[in-house]
């Protein structure tokens, strides 16, 4: 079946009602509870997943558990099209923080079902227990346990909470920058067409000034990239067939280009809505300087496409 004979679904004629936030919050609550139950189960066999710290400061264990806990938020938001707004993000933070606090309370109740008591028989409530256990915290280094942290234990608790909540909202926060179709209330999809070299492979030993030959070679590559982008831009006005031809001519698949070894490349992607076929051709520059990598969309090179072109490019 060709693209021309393919029967496409009818386009929506009106705005789609905004999806409810309830499924997102419910899904996130479930995964938060499941992750904390898993952590508790592991602690019963001697493995405390949230006790891992890097340099005694970075709570890598709590961050990892937070990422797992918030998986439901991200998946439900993506599937339902519910946009992660500021209000929804605050609700997620509240659920994660409440889950962290509830987990500590349930751990206390499960450890002392009949109630906790001091050696002199004084009853010990949850608040007093939490304070005592926090002040009694200590780090173990080379198999030797250190002194109790005292009030500094609350600093560790704060890092633990921040790591869990911060790791939990990392995915929803990243989704706030994803392209979104307001007409259909859906997150837009990305179709990758390839990449165009815009630089050279980094030098093995970057000592001293570059040779004139290398500077001239880089200039030629950049001129070639600019020419290719201009041809692709012009092809967007000529139809899907011309655009496909220009893309196949200039945009090299990522595996063939090995872009990670170049100083700079232009990635060409189709950003589109699966429901109304609203879309545009996006150009993203990805740069590399030593071990540092960065990318940003070149907004002036964003080219809006008609729904018919989007359908043909996706067919």
């Amino acid at each position: 079946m060709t693209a021309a004979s393919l029967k496409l679904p009818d386009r929506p004629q009106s705005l789609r009602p905004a999806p409810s936030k309830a499924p997102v919050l419910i899904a996130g609550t479930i995964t938060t509870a499941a992750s904390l139950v898993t952590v508790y189960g592991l602690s019963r066999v001697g493995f405390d997943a949230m006790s891992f710290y890097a340099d005694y400061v970075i709570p890598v264990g709590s961050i990892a558990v937070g990422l797992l806990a918030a998986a439901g938020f991200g998946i439900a938001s993506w599937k339902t099209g519910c946009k992660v707004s500021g209000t929804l993000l605050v609700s997620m933070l509240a659920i994660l923080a409440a889950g962290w606090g509830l987990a500590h309370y349930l751990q206390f109740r499960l450890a002392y079902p009949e109630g906790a008591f001091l050696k002199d028989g004084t009853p010990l409530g949850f608040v007093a227990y939490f304070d005592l256990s926090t002040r009694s915290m200590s780090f173990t280094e080379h198999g030797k346990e250190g002194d109790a942290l005292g009030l500094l234990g609350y600093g560790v608790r704060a890092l633990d909470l921040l790591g869990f909540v911060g790791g939990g909202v990392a995915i929803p926060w990243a989704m706030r920058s994803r392209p979104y179709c307001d007409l259909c209330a859906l997150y837009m999809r990305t179709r990758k067409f390839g990449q165009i070299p815009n630089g050279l492979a980094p030098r093995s030993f970057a000592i001293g000034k570059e040779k004139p030959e290398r500077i001239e070679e880089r200039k030629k590559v950049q001129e070639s990239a600019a020419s290719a982008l201009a041809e692709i831009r012009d092809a967007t006005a000529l139809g899907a067939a011309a655009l496909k031809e220009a893309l196949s001519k200039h945009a090299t698949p990522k595996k063939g280009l090995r872009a990670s070894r170049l100083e700079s490349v232009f990635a060409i992607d189709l950003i589109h809505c699966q429901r109304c076929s609203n879309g545009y051709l996006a150009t993203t520059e990805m740069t590399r300087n030593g071990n540092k990598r960065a990318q940003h969309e070149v907004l002036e090179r964003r080219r809006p496409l008609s729904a018919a072109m989007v359908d043909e490019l996706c067919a």
Side-chain angles (χ1 to χ4, degrees), residues 164-235:
F164 179 72
V165 174
V169 298
I171 296 175
W173 179 265
M175 291 186 67
R176 287 169 59 87
S177 62
R178 295 287 303 171
Y180 190 81
C181 179
D182 293 307
L183 176 68
C184 301
L186 288 173
Y187 281 99
M188 301 176 80
R189 270 38 175 186
T190 301
R191 185 184 181 94
K192 298 183 180 296
F193 285 123
Q195 298 175 334
I196 300 173
N198 189 49
L200 306 177
R203 294 184 296 171
S204 300
F205 300 97
I207 300 176
K209 295 183 178 180
E210 289 186 318
K211 295 181 179 180
E213 296 84 359
R214 181 176 172 85
I215 297 174
E216 185 64 26
E217 184 182 1
R218 180 186 292 108
K219 182 179 178 182
K220 290 181 179 180
V221 172
Q222 292 175 342
E223 290 176 349
S224 176
S227 176
L229 290 174
E231 187 173 337
I232 292 172
R233 177 198 63 203
D234 295 339

Side-chain angles (χ1 to χ4, degrees), residues 127-139 146-157:
V127 175
Y129 164 81
F130 187 81
D131 175 70
L132 182 60
S133 60
T134 299
R135 292 170 180 266
S136 302
M137 293 175 66
S138 63
F139 285 106
D147 297 331
L149 295 176
L151 287 175
L152 290 177
Y154 280 98
V156 176
R157 292 288 196 195

Side-chain angles (χ1 to χ4, degrees), residues 195-203 252-266 286-295:
Q195 298 175 334
I196 300 173
N198 189 49
L200 306 177
R203 294 184 296 171
T252 306
K254 183 178 179 180
K255 291 183 179 179
L257 186 61
R258 308 182 84 175
S260 61
R261 298 188 178 185
L262 299 181
E263 299 167 327
S264 172
V265 296
F266 289 119
M286 297 184 291
T287 59
R288 173 180 175 179
N289 183 11
N291 294 325
K292 296 181 180 179
R293 299 182 184 181
Q295 66 179 49

Side-chain angles (χ1 to χ4, degrees), residues 21 37 42 46 60 111 129 142 152 155 168 197 203-204 234-235 257 264 269 272 278-279 294 297 309:
K21 297 180 177 65
V37 168
L42 292 173
V60 291
Y129 164 81
H142 304 300
L152 290 177
R203 294 184 296 171
S204 300
D234 295 339
L257 186 61
S264 172
D269 302 323
H272 66 102
N278 172 40
E297 184 182 345
M309 286 188 67

Side-chain angles (χ1 to χ4, degrees), residues 17 41 51 97 105 113 131 189 205 250 296 313:
S51 66
Y105 176 75
D131 175 70
R189 270 38 175 186
F205 300 97
H250 297 293
H296 69 279
L313 291 171

Side-chain angles (χ1 to χ4, degrees), residues 21-22 24-26 28-29 32 73 84-99 165 169:
K21 297 180 177 65
V24 178
L25 297 177
I26 292 172
T29 301
T32 298
F73 293 128
V84 180
S85 61
T87 304
L88 184 57
L89 194 64
V90 170
S91 300
M92 294 176 183
L93 285 167
I95 289 174
L96 290 167
V165 174
V169 298

